[in-house]
Amino acid sequence: INVPSGYYVLLSQRLLHNAGSGVWTNLGNIYGQYGAVVTNSGSWEVRSDAAMNWFGNGAKVAFLNGGIFSKTGGSGTTTFSDTAFTNTGILRLDRGTLNFTSSGQYEQTDGSTILNGGGLSSSPNPIRLLGGTVSGGGNINGSVLNRGEINPGASPGLLTITGGLSSTGAVNLEIGGLAAGTEFDQVRVSGAATLGGLLNVTFADGFRPNQGESFRVLTYGSRSGSFFGISGLDLGDGTSLQPVYTATNLTLVATNGPTNLLHLTITAPT
């Protein structure tokens, strides 16, 4: 789809289905109205910073991705405004940012979201990860509802969420050394973290922590709740990782003795 700058494509009460290899180039936008729907079961590659918007009439626009949707071009922002994007396939962001604004929303019920050098943004609606996985390193601008699985980094790496995180799914972390973001996974949340669900810890390249070593795996602006279960803390030989919650972070500390299943919480004096 080559839409020159200053021109646009309008879908009115239409279903556009791509089962082949679609490429969206140039800077012209795609608009929809009266309930227009775009479905993708093939590959849909975005090579620009164009936008998909509601034209202002009738029901708003829906994009249903069951194939591979990727942003490979344009170092700026591809915006979906007033467009509901549902992913059950693969969404891969290699460059720039995929942004959802106004009543637009990104919801994943299955499949995967891969941050591979690009970012994901949504305002005012949260990013809804109701199933599947989000993986890779980079930035998510907006609040995240996680009922699926978060796999930060690329063995390992850093995932930054500029907003809040509500997690009742799983967060999977890999530890292979002492440096945050390069040797062990870290998730940074600028806003409030509402925790539940699972935290799963695995070790890379045969790494085994020594007593006293610590890993700040999660930071946040504020916190309520804690993970219901944490796996991978028993290191053997009487050593374990202890989860230590503070007002601003969760740190795993290698100590002698069994894991404290009640989770230690440190509160700053008032």
Side-chain angles (χ1 to χ4, degrees), residues 235-249:
L235 304 176
D237 298 326
T239 306
S240 65
L241 291 176
Q242 298 288 348
V244 179
Y245 291 92
T246 74
T248 58
N249 67 80

Side-chain angles (χ1 to χ4, degrees), residues 38 74 123 130 134 174 226:
V38 180
S123 178
L130 305 184
V134 57
E174 189 175 39
S226 59

